[in-house]
Every structure is written in structure tokens, then in C-alpha cells.
Amino acid sequence: MHSNRKRLLIVGGVAGGASCAARARRLDEEWEITIFERGPFVSFANCGLPYYIGEVIVDEDDLLVASPELFRDRFDIEVRTGSNVRQIYRDTKEIEVEDIHTGNVYREGYDALLLSPGSEPLRPGIEGIDLPGIFTVGTIPDTRAVVDWIKSSRVSRVAVVGGGFIGLEMTENLKKRDMVVTIIEMQHHVMPVIDPEMAAFIHGHLQSLGVELCLGSPVKAFREAGKDGLSILLENGNSVPADMVILAMGVRPRIELASSSGLSIGKLGGIQVNGQMQTSDSTIWAVGDAVEVDNIVSGKKDLIPLAGPANRQGRIAAESILGLNSDKCRFRGVQGTAVCGILGMTVASTGITEKRLNQGGDDGLRDSYEKIYLHPDHHAAYYPDAKTITIKLIFSKTDGRILGAQAVGQEGVEKRIDVISMVIQNGGTVFDLEEAELCYAPQYGSAKDPVNLAGMIAANVIKGYLNVSHWEDMDDPNIFILDVRDKDEFEEGHVPHAVNIPLNTLRSNLERLPRDREIRTYCYVGQRSYFATRILIQKGFRTSNLSGGFLMYQAVKKILK
Ligand code: FAD
């Protein structure tokens, strides 16, 4: 017998589900709220799991953000763990639940139902993928299994299949446990969510720390190789030995419940929702990894399996379910803002990549974007321990709208991407970056912060003060390549066929430059060559500046061979 209270039932008790439940309770004391979670824990920190394996987080309890008791006592929310929701009966507004421990199957009625079932780690049907010693990392029981295997099999060599966020975080944590790690990635670079030339910096960093990279070849089979050993065969014929394999091959939305009950599923395979996170059934909401949402930059649907969107969507769904503030509560969309730490290097990105623009997925943007690279210090160069950040900014050539940004470095990387991400969310332009008023004191930044510098360079391009060329444009034999660095720098290495005229002697050597050919000018990072470019343009030469300079060119050539 149920009370007369309205009933909100929630499927999935972690990021989106727990967030919705707690927000709903804070806004309304009357609704009866129940969370059904098929796993043994609710509200656990899945993002912290790699760090538990790396023994950075030593106490497993620290991964538990909230317990069922806390939900009951503080929020008057009932949590049923070990409870698998098997079916939705939309006509009677009921769900069917299986108690995993007792096998008991029962139904519960709802006034509102929220689905936050998350995503499933990909485990493709590769030969041998179910052999002992091969793991995914998505839950606390998964991490327990990994830790137990490490102990019982005395693991020293690990193959991480997949070089995305989870693969890199696992690599960092396994290295912290002194293991020999090989990353196997079927694409030609790690971190598929950034562009290859930016990933080149991560490749160099990983290789300098002894992480082996097997790029550009998918796994063909997993085979047993001696006691507790495995051999991973690649499509290119190579094989990698390992005592343990971590699969980090991506995720797919869990949509079985939604699709079997006839809710609309989008083209990308996620549950379709509106801005209030409402599905095609007005009494059912869905959030998190399982849903398709609008990408703010491309205007198209996207699947972005990240904790931030799941949490924010959970809050919006709660307000929508309670019928509150419908005019102010709308999910704005995603832009894929993300960060990953990898053994002292940080890589962060927001918006869309050049790769994606060139794949033609974002009509109208493909032919109208420009990009710039820069390598500013994370704080004033004269203050000790300044570290370089390499930034790539992608923007519309026509109106300066920012389309995406990526950055790698040791310090201050995520701060810059966070700032740019907010400008993107507000539909802002490179001129907004140019004018952004940001914190400055020598130990934190510079009077011209890296974000301002990115805006200034891009604004110069749009205003016509600067033409940029890029690392991939430098091998054209018809172009005159001008290196304006000092002689000793030039002699240490330069772009093939480049002519060296140091910046300080440029004005007195103009007769050495052709007036009938384009001149591509470069220096080490792009600043001196910008000065040179400005001189040459005003003297009537056709010229452009190699964005990101020789540093970018050299890094890419060395690593993306
Ligand atoms: P989840 O938080 O995964 O919750 C879904 C829950 O639903 C699961 O517990 C599942 O058991 C339960 N469930 C599913 N179906 C049913 C059913 N039928 N009945 C009952 N229960 C069900 N994101 C970041 O932004 N930054 C990070 O650093 C980061 N690191 C990560 C590291 C790892 C190892 C992992 C696995 C993920 C990481 N993520 C990170 C991604 C982030 O955790 C997810 O995007 C987020 O948790 C998604 O929230 P969700 O509510 O959609 O799903």
C-alpha cells in the first residue's frame, strides 16, 4: 500500500541519477523518491577508480560519495542497491525490478521516471577477449578485480587497449605502480578527442617516460602465453606481451530499457531528449551518458560521456519533473570540455576539433575556419618555474566565433581551456578572448594571459594584420621559406630549403627576398616571425607567419612520422 505522495523513480544511482534525486528533494519535500541501482554502490566516484588502482586513493571508502544511509537520513530518499530494472510498462506507468540477491521480481508505479543508466564499456567480439587477466574499469567491483589480479599474478607488464582518457589515466596509475605499460591504439594518435599534432606532444612525453606506443593497428586476438601471461596480436602482425590487459576502448549508451519500451532513440544510438531532458514520453526523463544532446558548436546531436554534463542534466531534470521554472531551466548543450592528467602533463580541450571539421561532419564550418598555435608561459616568464603551454585555437575566419581549443603543458592548462570554454558556451569570439579581463600576478599569469594572447593572434588574422601558414604547408617547393631566428639557432636545425635572415638584420636584407613568390616566415615559436611578417607586409611582400613556429613544426615532424 503506497502513500498519496507523488512518486519519482530513478534508474541508476551514480552521477546523473543521484544528482537528480538530491536536487529534487532539496526543491520538494513531498515527493517520494526511490533510486534503483543494480550495482552494490550508489553515488560512487567512477572518475576516481584509476587513482584507486594507482594507490593514490588508498581507502576504497573514499570513492563512496554518499551511502544509502546518508540518502535516507539526510534526504529522505530510498536507495535500493542490487536492484536491476528490467522493463518499463509505460501504459500502467510501472517498472519491473529484479532483486539481484533474492531473485524476487516486482513492479513499482511512478508518476515520474528518470533514466540515468550510464554507458557500457566496449568489449568487442575479439578472439580471446574473455580470457582471465583482461579487465574493463567502470565500477568498484571492476577495480577490485584488477587489484586482486595485480596481487595474485604479480603483474609487471600491462597492455592498455585504447588511448583515450581512461586509457591514459590507467597508464598513469599503472606507471605509478612501477609497471611496464604499452598503449595499443587503433588510431594513429592517442586522445582521439584532440587533433593529431597536439597529441604528438603527449606521444613525446609518454615515450620519454618509457611508455610504449603501438599506434595505428587494431587488436586482432588475445592469446594465452605461458603461466598467467597473455599475448596481444595486432592486425599489423606485431604482438605485445602482457600479464594483464586493461580495455579502455570507449563506451556505448545503455539504451535497452528505453528502446524496449519504445522511447525514441537518436541516430547516434542515444536516448532522445528535449532541453528539459524529457524523453518522447512526457512522464519519463533521461540524463547522462545514455542520452544524445545538442553540441553547442556544431548544432548537431552528440554523445558526450562526461560527469559534468550528467550532473547538470540531473539537476535540470529534477526541476522539470517538479514543474519548476520551466522558462529558466534548459540544458544548453555540450561542447566536450575535458581534461586528462598523464604523468605530469595535462591535456585539455573544448569545442570541436579540426579533424572533425575536416571530416565534413559540421557543414558550413569546414571551409570557413582558421587555426592558430601558440606556446606562451603559464605565468610571467621572469618568475621562477614558468612552464610552456601549447595552445591550439580554432575559430571562424568570417566572424571570429570560437569553435574549439586544445592545450597541452604542465601547469595552468585546464584554467585556460575553462576560460575559453565559457566564451564558447556564450557564443563568443576571438575578440572576447582578446579583451578578457583575467587574474594577473607574476606567479599566476601574465599581463597578457595566454588566453588574451590566443585572442590577440586570432584577432590579428581576422583584422588582416597577419596571414598564417601551418606546419603542414612548409614542404611546398614553390614557396620561399624565411627563417628569422639567430644564426646559431638556425644551424641547430631548420625547415628544409629555408633561408636564414635574423630578424634584427631583416630591414637591411630585403633585396634578398623574392617579390614574385609567397614567403613563409618562421622563428622558434612564432613571435619574432610575426614582427618580421609585419615588416614584410608593409614593404609590399606576400608573406605569412608559420603559426606555432619551428617548435610546432619540429614536434609534429619528429613524432608524426
Ligand atoms: P553512471 O554514473 O555510470 O551511472 C549509471 C548507473 O546506472 C550505474 O551504476 C549502473 O549500474 C546503473 N544501471 C544501469 N542500468 C540499470 C538498470 N537497468 N537498473 C538499475 N541500475 C542500472 N568523466 C569526467 O567528466 N571526468 C573524468 O575524469 C572521468 N573519469 C572517468 C573514469 C572512469 C574509470 C570512468 C568509468 C568514467 C569516467 N568519467 C569521467 C565518465 C563519468 O563517470 C560518466 O560520464 C558519468 O558517470 C555518467 O553518469 P551517468 O549517470 O550517465 O552514468
Side-chain angles (χ1 to χ4, degrees):
M1 196 59 162
H2 293 301
S3 67
N4 290 329
R5 297 167 82 190
K6 281 194 172 179
R7 309 190 84 206
L8 166 57
L9 304 187
I10 295 179
V11 182
V14 191
S19 186
C20 176
R23 174 76 166 163
R25 173 57 73 233
R26 286 193 296 273
L27 296 175
D28 191 297
E29 274 291 311
E30 293 308 316
W31 279 63
E32 190 180 312
I33 304 173
T34 310
I35 297 175
F36 297 86
E37 168 54 56
R38 70 174 166 210
F41 303 101
V42 273
S43 201
F44 67 92
N46 25 24
C47 308
L49 299 176
Y51 304 93
Y52 177 67
I53 292 173
E55 297 180 321
V56 178
I57 297 169
V58 282
D59 188 347
E60 191 188 85
D61 286 350
D62 289 341
L63 295 169
L64 304 175
V65 180
S67 63
E69 294 72 31
L70 184 121
F71 272 108
R72 184 193 59 213
D73 298 342
R74 186 167 297 170
F75 295 109
D76 182 25
I77 292 169
E78 184 187 350
V79 173
R80 296 188 200 166
T81 53
S83 299
N84 183 31
V85 178
R86 302 201 310 191
Q87 192 57 262
I88 305 170
Y89 298 101
R90 288 169 53 199
D91 45 352
T92 55
K93 291 174 74 177
E94 289 176 307
I95 57 170
E96 180 181 274
V97 187
E98 176 196 10
D99 182 323
I100 289 172
H101 303 299
T102 63
N104 183 31
V105 175
Y106 59 97
R107 289 190 183 196
E108 290 285 2
Y110 61 83
D111 294 289
L113 176 66
L114 177 97
L115 305 178
S116 189
S119 52
E120 199 76 54
L122 290 178
R123 236 188 135 93
I126 299 170
E127 179 194 329
I129 198 160
D130 292 323
L131 284 170
I134 303 179
F135 302 92
T136 52
V137 178
T139 63
I140 291 180
D142 289 345
T143 54
R144 283 182 185 162
V146 170
V147 169
D148 288 349
W149 185 265
I150 290 173
K151 279 188 197 140
S152 63
S153 304
R154 278 182 273 128
V155 173
S156 65
R157 296 165 308 171
V158 185
V160 174
V161 183
F165 290 103
I166 296 178
L168 291 186
E169 288 179 355
M170 284 305 302
T171 299
E172 166 168 295
N173 284 287
L174 293 164
K175 284 291 286 178
K176 281 186 178 149
R177 293 188 68 150
D178 289 331
M179 292 179 192
V180 177
V181 182
T182 303
I183 298 176
I184 299 169
E185 166 58 58
M186 67 184 219
Q187 295 204 27
H188 290 279
H189 65 91
V190 298
M191 284 294 276
V193 297
I194 64 171
D195 286 319
E197 77 281 15
M198 295 299 285
F201 291 90
I202 311 172
H203 293 181
H205 178 66
L206 287 170
Q207 283 162 340
S208 74
L209 295 169
V211 175
E212 272 193 50
L213 297 178
C214 291
L215 304 173
S217 184
V219 173
K220 188 175 176 192
F222 298 95
R223 302 256 165 88
E224 278 173 321
K227 192 177 173 325
D228 291 339
L230 292 160
S231 174
I232 300 114
L233 263 61
L234 307 184
E235 290 286 356
N236 65 9
N238 292 339
S239 67
V240 177
D243 310 313
M244 180 172 86
V245 174
I246 300 290
L247 301 176
M249 304 171 84
V251 295
R252 66 168 181 81
R254 282 196 188 110
I255 55 162
E256 295 74 14
L257 262 184
S259 57
S260 65
S261 58
L263 297 179
S264 299
I265 304 298
K267 286 202 184 87
L268 302 176
I271 304 170
Q272 277 188 340
V273 288
N274 64 18
Q276 278 70 43
M277 311 312 298
Q278 211 164 16
T279 67
S280 51
D281 179 328
S282 64
T283 61
I284 304 178
W285 284 254
V287 298
D289 289 3
V291 302
E292 278 185 24
V293 278
D294 293 330
N295 184 304
I296 288 172
V297 181
S298 68
K300 298 193 169 167
K301 293 292 174 195
D302 224 332
L303 289 168
I304 303 267
L306 290 172
N311 276 274
R312 300 200 309 281
Q313 291 162 6
R315 287 167 58 89
I316 287 168
E319 283 185 77
S320 174
I321 288 165
L322 300 173
L324 300 171
N325 279 309
S326 53
D327 54 331
K328 297 189 189 69
C329 125
R330 182 168 214 293
F331 187 65
R332 293 181 180 190
V334 288
Q335 56 197 86
T337 308
V339 63
C340 180
I342 173 76
L343 297 161
M345 178 176 259
T346 303
V347 50
S349 61
T350 185
I352 51 182
T353 56
E354 184 180 7
K355 196 169 54 175
R356 184 165 151 180
L357 287 169
N358 284 329
Q359 280 160 359
D362 297 293
D363 305 339
L365 298 173
R366 182 182 181 168
D367 301 322
S368 62
Y369 78 88
E370 182 54 277
K371 59 178 173 175
I372 52 142
Y373 302 91
L374 62 159
H375 313 279
D377 287 323
H378 89 287
H379 62 43
Y382 61 79
Y383 189 85
D385 294 328
K387 302 280 193 290
T388 302
I389 307 177
T390 293
I391 300 175
K392 174 176 184 177
L393 185 74
I394 307 167
F395 54 95
S396 157
K397 267 190 293 200
T398 41
D399 59 8
R401 183 166 76 101
I402 304 165
L403 306 175
Q406 300 157 35
V408 293
Q410 292 173 48
E411 301 280 348
V413 171
E414 69 290 357
K415 163 173 153 175
R416 274 59 192 217
I417 292 297
D418 278 343
V419 171
I420 298 173
S421 130
M422 270 319 296
V423 177
I424 292 179
Q425 190 176 109
N426 289 329
T429 65
V430 300
F431 307 109
D432 296 315
L433 299 187
E434 196 182 16
E435 281 299 316
E437 187 165 309
L438 303 171
C439 294
Y440 163 59
Q443 70 267 44
Y444 298 109
S446 298
K448 283 183 200 155
D449 189 86
V451 167
N452 298 129
L453 286 174
M456 288 167 184
I457 297 169
N460 278 341
V461 174
I462 292 181
K463 289 172 184 165
Y465 301 148
L466 173 68
N467 294 323
V468 280
S469 47
H470 298 294
W471 52 272
E472 64 268 39
D473 306 327
M474 298 303 276
D475 299 327
D476 180 346
N478 299 317
I479 299 292
F480 186 93
I481 310 276
L482 172 64
D483 184 323
V484 295
R485 295 175 301 160
D486 291 342
K487 193 160 170 271
D488 54 338
E489 292 174 89
F490 180 80
E491 280 168 0
E492 273 179 28
H494 53 261
V495 175
H497 314 299
V499 172
N500 180 223
I501 306 177
L503 174 63
N504 296 354
T505 64
L506 185 62
R507 286 187 182 85
S508 53
N509 277 290
L510 294 178
E511 75 287 351
R512 291 174 59 196
L513 299 174
R515 289 201 174 265
D516 57 344
R517 288 162 72 191
E518 187 189 329
I519 302 168
R520 292 200 178 133
T521 311
Y522 75 90
C523 63
Y524 189 57
V525 294
Q527 192 184 32
R528 282 172 289 173
S529 50
Y530 163 57
F531 302 153
T533 308
R534 288 300 308 150
I535 295 171
L536 295 180
I537 287 174
Q538 291 176 77
K539 297 291 180 189
F541 291 93
R542 266 196 306 133
T543 183
S544 62
N545 182 21
L546 172 61
S547 191
F550 190 59
L551 198 168
M552 196 71 213
Y553 175 87
Q554 199 181 29
V556 174
K557 291 280 166 179
K558 201 188 291 173
I559 296 159
L560 288 187
K561 282 187 283 225

